[in-house]
Amino acid sequence: MPLIINRQLQNVDPWTRLQSVEGESLSWPETKALISGTDWPTWAARCPAKLELGVSITADTTLEDLTPWLDRLSLIEICFEVFRDGRGFSLARLLRRAGYQGELRAAGDVGQDRLAYLERCGFNAFVLPEGRDPLQALAAFEQIQVHYQGAADDPRPIYRQEA
Amino acid sequence: MYQYTQVDQQIVNERVEEFRDQTRRYLAGELSADEFLALRLMNGLYIQRQAPMLRVAIPYGLTSAQQMRKLAHIARTYDQGYGHFTTRTNLQFNWPKLEEVPDILAELAEVQMHAIQTSGNCIRNTTTDHFAGVIEGEIEDPRPWCEIIRQWSTLHPEFAYLPRKFKIAVTGSQQDRAASQVHDIGLHLVKNAAGELGFEVLVGGGLGRTPVIGKVIREFLPALDLLSYLDAILRVYNLKGRRDNKYKARIKILVESLGIEAFRELVEAEWQFTRDTELKLTHAEVERVKAHFTPFAYAADAAEDTRLAQHLAEDEAFKIWYERNTRAHKVPGYRCVMVSLKPQLGAPGDITALQMEVVADLAEAYSFAEIRSTHDQNLLLADVRQADLYQVWQTLSEHNLARANINTLTDMIVCPGFDFCALANAKTLNIADAINAEFEDLDYLYDLGDIQLNMSGCINACGHHHVGHIGILGVDKKGEDWYQITLGGSAREDASLGKVLGRSVAADEVPRVLRVILNTYVELRQPEESFLECVRRVGLTPFKEKVYAADH
């Protein structure tokens, strides 16, 4: 699946995905471990300190769930199970407001028509569904070039920028 | 009125091109129907029973003569020569071709118009009092605040995929002509004890299948905190509103389930993070927007005119129209002219291309080139010199725009119903026709006084039936159209939800039942008592007994 980070198409994803399965332990990779599954806090607590840690969550996860981990995490992936579910937009903003500076990835039902909005809400990485044209997606960031309102990218509304 | 800056124009132009690309990808099979649906709705495009329907935004109901001419041009070129005004003061075209919609949007952009967020689960067109800025006793003109909300909410990156649609209304006086209490957010301009300007904020009102009157979440919000507070409400809603059932997804359901106190706590807690950030409005920005809404250069000698008095004395038809379809203006010598889109024959709110041009010409000649569309699906020429009223009336009459029925029974709010709408269960336009035929006698209507009749073709309540003094709701019973009647609703400052009269009645029974209801009112009313006051005083029982008497 095409991966875009900071508006650059990536050839490889350096993260190793670890799906927790009940009753089985995870085998940790060399460097970057991306954990998914509802029991991610359990595994996050066991993750060797030398590894970079990431979690893949859905919008059912709240800021409060993530707050204790923000300093430890270098990747948070928010998975949009259906594109209509806009909670991830607000969760991203809350995470950035809470000071999280690591990679914030949007995954799941991420169409090109939402990329620019997602980016404005604080996402800097995007996993596109299989079959989507990554070059067309890259162009989509530029379709609307001016914005009235502030957001995570720039908190100033347009009228404060002109001043 | 507000004039676009380069930034405003660029945003609209870029959105047109983005939508052109989205349409192209959909037609090329690159974009799924489901995904395109969400994108096209956010740009006002529905696929209806017979054809696509494009809803053009008319922010807070204000258009220029030039814009109205453009709408006429679009109606002729891309549609079947007419449009339909809605309760959100927008204009709908019923017959555009999907592949031509990008071109229509490009034409709109030429006159600073668009269709952004006229549908979809996002923040919709903000509405207000159609008498904003021209009535006596206003606290402040609400339109600059509507424009500020328009800009903030346009292509908002965080609030484009809300649980459900989101509607905001603003009022600037004690009177509420914007149905603000049945909006997701109602904003009332107020002054506090210190004389500072702010808003009383209501949240969680709405119609649809669960009608609710909004609740006060904040009695006084300092005016410059408007956007940060809206932002806080929207963020709480976006995160916590239900998404599992579209009929329980509006903010009213969240507010009801949490209770207003708990909801308020969440909003206030969120607001603490943002109230003193860049979301706070600046005086300079408020003044910049307000400068677009300064009063016109009214003629100082307008009240010295004597022609009006003469015409009133000489022409009875003109006098009747003057009394029923014009309203006081705060400037002596001026009147507000209601343009009735409720003719004897024709769908309420419909307007032909020629009529649009006629209104545009009149606005240009007599009303500072501006036109307003109203919540009750009429138009308004807000600033007409009294000396010009006779000429305006004559022209409106020639074009079937002067039926002297404003605020009477036949000034109905009606959704397009089953004839056009894919959601509707029952027809509405045939019932409106039947009501117009039954209650043709204007003297009878004048004797009845102000009556608001609202009709919807389904439970989604686009015709606001719950808040009509008389509400009619079309329901489908085994393939036949039946109509449920409610009495006692109001969308005004004394907002209330109508109560169901009894079992629904067949389509051909509706005029007779209305006749019985009105006769009952005439029998029971006290001197000067309006229909609504009477229903509130006596309750539904006497009406019920008369209407269903034949059943016993």
Side-chain angles (χ1 to χ4, degrees):
Chain A
M1 289 185 288
L3 171 65
I4 294 171
I5 299 177
N6 297 328
R7 298 198 185 187
Q8 302 287 321
L9 189 60
Q10 308 294 308
N11 293 323
V12 286
D13 183 356
W15 289 83
T16 304
R17 287 180 181 269
L18 301 173
Q19 172 72 47
S20 74
V21 179
E22 208 181 309
E24 290 176 29
S25 64
L26 296 179
S27 58
W28 299 102
E30 302 263 311
T31 53
K32 294 165 179 268
L34 174 56
I35 310 171
S36 56
T38 50
D39 59 343
W40 65 262
T42 312
W43 292 106
R46 294 180 198 172
C47 178
K50 62 173 182 162
L51 294 192
E52 281 191 73
L53 179 63
V55 292
S56 180
I57 54 167
T58 67
D60 289 327
T61 311
T62 64
L63 176 67
E64 290 67 41
D65 298 332
L66 289 160
T67 302
W69 299 97
L70 291 185
D71 290 339
R72 177 70 181 90
L73 295 170
S74 22
L75 168 64
I76 298 175
E77 180 181 83
I78 300 177
C79 187
F80 290 78
E81 292 176 312
V82 284
F83 72 85
R84 286 171 208 284
D85 186 347
R87 289 178 298 171
F89 292 83
S90 285
L91 180 57
R93 291 211 62 183
L94 293 181
L95 283 167
R96 290 304 189 198
R97 189 168 79 193
Y100 175 69
Q101 290 178 357
E103 182 177 328
L104 190 52
R105 243 185 222 195
D109 197 349
V110 177
Q112 74 174 64
D113 300 285
R114 284 169 294 285
L115 292 179
Y117 280 5
L118 290 164
E119 185 180 59
R120 296 209 68 213
C121 288
F123 289 97
N124 68 322
F126 310 89
V127 185
L128 302 179
E130 207 62 71
R132 302 276 179 149
D133 179 354
L135 295 178
Q136 221 177 42
L138 285 170
F141 285 106
E142 306 275 349
Q143 269 179 321
I144 307 280
Q145 304 197 17
V146 281
H147 314 288
Y148 281 123
Q149 61 294 99
D153 54 346
D154 183 341
R156 299 172 303 165
I158 189 87
Y159 61 85
R160 283 181 187 263
Q161 295 173 28
E162 287 167 342
Chain B
M1 64 187 285
Y2 187 75
Q3 300 296 314
Y4 278 10
T5 63
Q6 217 178 346
V7 167
D8 299 308
Q9 191 66 53
Q10 187 182 344
I11 287 174
V12 168
N13 291 349
E14 288 178 350
R15 177 64 185 126
V16 171
E17 290 316 307
E18 186 184 49
F19 189 74
R20 193 184 292 283
D21 183 53
Q22 289 166 347
T23 306
R24 180 195 63 72
R25 280 187 283 135
Y26 167 68
L27 292 172
E30 296 169 28
L31 198 54
S32 73
D34 189 42
E35 214 170 323
F36 184 57
L37 176 124
L39 298 170
R40 66 171 161 77
L41 284 181
M42 265 188 256
N43 218 47
L45 184 64
Y46 288 73
I47 305 295
Q48 288 291 31
R49 205 168 284 285
Q50 331 225 15
M53 183 271 278
L54 179 67
R55 185 181 291 149
V56 176
I58 299 185
Y60 38 94
L62 194 57
T63 43
S64 67
Q66 183 202 20
Q67 290 173 330
M68 191 63 81
R69 285 203 189 91
K70 176 63 90 175
L71 294 170
H73 165 75
I74 290 169
R76 266 203 201 96
T77 313
Y78 300 95
D79 204 277
Q80 296 186 4
Y82 69 100
H84 172 80
F85 278 102
T86 75
T87 57
R88 287 215 80 61
T89 68
N90 294 321
L91 183 78
Q92 295 180 175
F93 289 115
N94 286 306
W95 309 94
K97 294 186 184 69
L98 176 63
E99 56 276 20
E100 288 183 351
V101 169
D103 295 334
I104 298 176
L105 297 174
E107 295 240 24
L108 289 170
E110 286 173 17
V111 293
Q112 309 192 349
M113 295 186 89
H114 59 76
I116 295 170
Q117 290 165 216
T118 53
S119 182
N121 295 334
C122 49
I123 304 170
R124 305 286 191 88
N125 185 27
T126 300
T127 51
T128 192
D129 185 351
H130 49 265
F131 291 126
V134 296
I135 38 152
E136 204 61 71
E138 201 172 46
I139 295 151
E140 188 173 294
D141 188 340
R143 293 172 302 171
W145 301 100
C146 295
E147 176 60 27
I148 285 167
I149 294 169
R150 184 190 77 79
Q151 296 191 14
W152 163 75
S153 61
T154 294
L155 307 186
H156 197 294
E158 188 180 347
F159 303 136
Y161 294 89
L162 296 170
R164 199 77 178 83
K165 57 188 168 183
F166 204 90
K167 301 176 180 179
I168 303 173
V170 190
T171 64
S173 79
Q174 306 279 332
Q175 287 113 40
D176 185 355
R177 279 171 287 262
S180 70
Q181 295 184 61
V182 287
H183 275 72
D184 297 286
I185 291 179
L187 296 165
H188 301 155
L189 275 160
V190 289
K191 286 199 167 148
N192 66 6
E196 294 157 333
L197 188 74
F199 296 92
E200 178 188 48
V201 185
L202 274 67
V203 70
L207 298 173
R209 66 182 62 199
T210 316
V212 184
I213 304 282
K215 294 168 186 65
V216 176
I217 183 167
R218 195 161 233 283
E219 283 177 7
F220 185 81
L221 176 73
L224 295 183
D225 292 331
L226 175 64
L227 297 184
S228 61
Y229 203 76
L230 293 182
D231 175 84
I233 293 175
L234 264 299
R235 186 163 301 116
V236 169
Y237 171 54
N238 195 35
L239 284 166
K240 297 200 184 292
R242 282 182 65 172
R243 292 173 186 269
D244 58 327
N245 179 341
K246 73 182 271 197
Y247 299 113
K248 297 193 184 299
R250 295 286 289 269
I251 196 172
K252 63 192 172 188
I253 304 292
L254 178 65
V255 173
E256 293 280 292
S257 70
L258 291 173
I260 184 66
E261 285 78 19
F263 183 77
R264 180 184 298 119
E265 277 174 32
L266 290 173
V267 169
E268 295 275 331
E270 171 58 32
W271 189 41
Q272 299 316 314
F273 286 100
T274 57
R275 61 183 297 183
D276 292 317
T277 64
E278 287 89 342
L279 266 170
K280 197 179 193 104
L281 282 159
T282 62
H283 283 291
E285 173 63 2
V286 173
E287 290 310 313
R288 178 186 78 85
V289 178
K290 279 187 180 176
H292 290 281
F293 298 90
T294 50
F296 294 120
Y298 295 109
D301 61 350
E304 288 164 29
D305 152 78
T306 55
R307 278 178 289 175
L308 173 64
Q310 198 184 329
H311 287 305
L312 288 172
E314 288 168 1
D315 193 326
E316 183 64 15
F318 172 65
K319 181 165 177 272
I320 289 169
W321 172 83
Y322 172 87
E323 285 169 357
R324 203 70 227 183
N325 286 21
T326 73
R327 297 288 180 274
H329 192 291
K330 69 179 180 185
V331 176
Y334 283 83
R335 297 287 287 182
C336 303
V337 171
M338 303 294 309
V339 178
S340 176
L341 300 184
K342 312 295 172 65
Q344 169 77 19
L345 302 169
D350 275 13
I351 183 167
T352 66
L354 176 63
Q355 286 176 320
M356 291 181 210
E357 285 161 347
V358 167
V359 174
D361 290 348
L362 285 174
E364 210 149 62
Y366 302 113
S367 196
F368 299 94
E370 286 186 8
I371 302 135
R372 303 172 185 211
S373 44
T374 74
H375 162 65
D376 39 16
Q377 299 177 291
N378 289 305
L379 296 179
L380 174 67
L381 297 169
D383 304 271
V384 180
R385 274 177 83 149
Q386 65 177 50
D388 297 328
L389 287 171
Y390 195 71
Q391 179 60 52
V392 169
W393 169 68
Q394 285 183 316
T395 306
L396 289 175
S397 297
E398 275 168 40
H399 295 278
N400 200 20
L401 294 165
R403 192 179 186 202
N405 63 343
I406 298 300
N407 293 0
T408 70
L409 182 76
T410 57
D411 184 7
M412 301 171 259
I413 292 177
V414 182
C415 76
F418 192 87
D419 290 302
F420 291 96
C421 178
L423 298 171
N425 296 122
K427 289 188 183 183
T428 52
L429 301 182
N430 60 331
I431 303 297
D433 285 347
I435 293 169
N436 273 318
E438 174 80 13
F439 300 98
E440 200 184 354
D441 179 2
L442 283 173
D443 285 334
Y444 176 68
L445 295 185
Y446 299 154
D447 176 63
L448 294 174
D450 287 2
I451 295 184
Q452 184 64 52
L453 189 155
N454 293 355
M455 178 165 28
S456 308
C458 77
I459 194 73
N460 292 307
C462 295
H464 291 206
H465 60 276
H466 302 107
V467 288
H469 303 168
I470 300 174
I472 301 180
L473 166 65
V475 291
D476 173 79
K477 278 199 200 174
K478 295 177 187 160
E480 277 179 37
D481 289 358
W482 286 70
Y483 297 87
Q484 185 186 74
I485 302 206
T486 49
L487 297 182
S490 168
R492 296 287 304 255
E493 54 280 1
D494 60 350
S496 60
L497 302 170
K499 296 191 182 76
V500 177
L501 184 65
R503 59 168 180 74
S504 53
V505 301
D508 57 1
E509 280 284 283
V510 173
R512 183 195 66 82
V513 168
L514 288 180
R515 180 71 76 177
V516 174
I517 289 168
L518 297 168
N519 287 345
T520 308
Y521 156 63
V522 170
E523 237 169 73
L524 295 174
R525 69 179 165 186
Q526 295 175 345
E528 305 296 308
E529 189 177 45
S530 72
F531 178 81
L532 180 61
E533 290 162 348
C534 180
V535 172
R536 285 177 173 170
R537 178 174 59 83
V538 305
L540 261 60
T541 311
F543 294 95
K544 217 177 268 189
E545 283 168 0
K546 296 278 186 182
V547 166
Y548 300 109
D551 297 357
H552 303 302

